[in-house]
Amino acid sequence: GPTITLYPGDTVQMNPTGNCLYYQWSPPQGLSATNVSNPLAYPLVNTRYYATGTTEFGCETMDSVDVIVTMETMLAMPNAFAPGNGEKIKLVKRGEAELKSLRIYDRWGVLVFESKNIDEGWDGRYKGTTQPMGVYVYQVDAVGPGPNGTKRTFRKNGNISLIR
């Protein structure tokens, strides 16, 4: 399969395709099991996993997948959203991070949303009132793990297009 990148705290479910009934994975380090088709992988270092699959008729095949481990967290914000049905725009997080603040401003600089909860998002309202279609500005301040055990500060600014 394709190369997989893991961020701090992530795991990945291995999902080989084919008609094999029996599997053997190696190396065993960083796997939840070695004799199932879809173990969870959570290696601490870059690892190439080998899977040997066997069909019901005893035919064997082998493939590998590389899991690249990065110690840095990735934060991103979508650049557009159309609120509705309870949908919210929120940070996309890969890895571990502590949100210091997420602020969203309208085009006049009015703060329409603020949160310190990384899993909370904006529903397109300000003080209960639906906000008009347009471009809004966001600011993100967060802290997460960086290279070699250091802390990394995230400061991101950008635009969100609110679509109705």
Side-chain angles (χ1 to χ4, degrees), residues 73-113:
T73 297
M74 186 274 301
L75 292 176
M77 177 67 93
N79 61 6
F81 97 113
N85 300 325
E87 293 180 28
K88 297 179 179 186
I89 190 167
K90 56 184 169 178
L91 283 168
V92 176
K93 174 185 71 139
R94 295 289 312 268
E96 299 168 350
E98 177 188 347
L99 184 64
K100 299 296 183 185
S101 69
L102 166 60
R103 295 182 179 102
I104 300 176
Y105 300 88
D106 68 12
R107 66 181 178 178
W108 295 283
V110 174
L111 180 64
V112 297
F113 177 78

Side-chain angles (χ1 to χ4, degrees), residues 58-138:
C59 297
E60 283 190 2
T61 186
M62 180 188 274
D63 202 355
S64 65
V65 62
D66 292 325
V67 178
I68 306 301
V69 178
T70 179
M71 295 315 296
E72 294 190 35
T73 297
M74 186 274 301
L75 292 176
M77 177 67 93
N79 61 6
F81 97 113
N85 300 325
E87 293 180 28
K88 297 179 179 186
I89 190 167
K90 56 184 169 178
L91 283 168
V92 176
K93 174 185 71 139
R94 295 289 312 268
E96 299 168 350
E98 177 188 347
L99 184 64
K100 299 296 183 185
S101 69
L102 166 60
R103 295 182 179 102
I104 300 176
Y105 300 88
D106 68 12
R107 66 181 178 178
W108 295 283
V110 174
L111 180 64
V112 297
F113 177 78
E114 182 174 25
S115 180
K116 292 182 180 184
N117 180 346
I118 203 159
D119 297 316
E120 187 177 358
W122 182 47
D123 64 0
R125 296 176 182 265
Y126 174 58
K127 293 185 178 179
T129 303
T130 302
Q131 294 301 289
M133 185 169 72
V135 176
Y136 293 77
V137 175
Y138 71 86

Side-chain angles (χ1 to χ4, degrees), residues 15 17 21 25 47 64 87 94 115 139 160:
N15 284 310
T17 59
L21 293 178
W25 291 84
T47 305
S64 65
E87 293 180 28
R94 295 289 312 268
S115 180
Q139 292 179 330
I160 301 166

